[in-house]
Amino acid sequence: MNVLHTLSQSPNDSHRHQLAIDYASAGDGLLLMQDAVVAATLSDFAKLLHDRPCYALKEDLQARGLLKRVLAPITVIDYPQFVDLTLHYDKVQAW
């Protein structure tokens, strides 16, 4: 069973982000939304991903003025793509 892990809290709570990444299995994905999109601009966060797919909501990045600061390998997606992701994964786990 593959899981989409959604993170919505600021990366100030890096322990929560680390737990979500550690809990994610092969085939799982991570989605940054709301205040968690700040993590998409942090090189330390990007290094933790270890080839797990990670996405960040475009609208939340735009609202925080961060759209042009997103680091690879994080993929920027919009709300319709978010809906597609929820259909792609078997389960959605909120952190």
Side-chain angles (χ1 to χ4, degrees):
M1 175 186 306
N2 58 3
V3 179
L4 178 63
H5 301 271
T6 62
L7 296 136
S8 60
Q9 295 184 4
S10 170
N12 290 338
D13 184 5
S14 60
H15 179 69
R16 178 182 297 264
H17 289 195
Q18 182 66 54
L19 280 174
I21 292 169
D22 290 345
Y23 187 75
S25 300
D28 288 358
L30 295 143
L31 172 67
L32 305 173
M33 54 196 303
Q34 299 171 0
D35 288 338
V37 296
V38 173
T41 67
L42 304 174
S43 60
D44 288 343
F45 178 79
K47 291 176 188 175
L48 296 173
L49 294 174
H50 304 293
D51 296 327
R52 289 179 187 89
C54 184
Y55 312 92
L57 278 176
K58 179 180 179 181
E59 291 80 358
D60 291 337
L61 289 162
Q62 286 174 325
R64 289 155 183 82
L66 300 173
L67 186 57
K68 294 185 180 186
R69 296 180 49 201
V70 175
L71 301 174
I74 298 163
T75 304
V76 176
I77 63 169
D78 59 18
Y79 277 103
Q81 290 169 306
F82 172 33
V83 172
D84 290 342
L85 277 180
T86 64
L87 297 173
H88 173 77
Y89 289 93
D90 298 319
K91 181 179 174 185
V92 177
Q93 172 69 47
W95 290 88

